[in-house]
Amino acid sequence: MATPPTEDRHAATEARLRAALTARAAQVTHHDLRREPPPRGRARSVRGLYGRGLAALAVAAAVAAVCLLTLLPESRLDPIPVQPARPPVTGTDRPAPEQPPLPRPSAETPRVVPPTD
């Protein structure tokens, strides 16, 4: 089978394309070229959803903060001072000398000794 010359192939392809475009153009009417009517009602945009989502997130964070501050024990908000691990050292490192205990006055009533002449 011999192939037709290049000019004949281009002419045949162009004739087929022109016939296809003419057929398609015959199918298009002025109703197909009219614009679509605008949408009715409220259209939601991404910006509106983003703003509402951000507001909801802020409200949730505020509620969580209030709950944590309310439910935490009072000791975390007002901590009690911690005692030192060992008693503080006063001046010297030697222990104080022991002193004998002082006599304690007794709880008895004192006796009165009559004077002798």
Side-chain angles (χ1 to χ4, degrees), residues 60-88:
V63 168
V66 168
C67 288
L68 283 176
L69 290 175
T70 303
L71 298 176
L72 282 178
E74 293 295 326
S75 63
R76 291 192 181 192
L77 296 177
D78 189 21
I80 298 172
V82 178
Q83 298 294 327
R86 55 184 144 145

Side-chain angles (χ1 to χ4, degrees), residues 43-107:
R44 294 193 179 204
S45 66
V46 175
R47 180 179 291 165
L49 293 176
Y50 179 73
R52 287 185 180 148
L54 190 61
L57 184 64
V59 168
V63 168
V66 168
C67 288
L68 283 176
L69 290 175
T70 303
L71 298 176
L72 282 178
E74 293 295 326
S75 63
R76 291 192 181 192
L77 296 177
D78 189 21
I80 298 172
V82 178
Q83 298 294 327
R86 55 184 144 145
V89 179
T90 57
T92 62
D93 292 338
R94 323 179 254 176
E98 295 208 17
Q99 298 176 354
L102 297 174
R104 292 187 179 179
S106 63

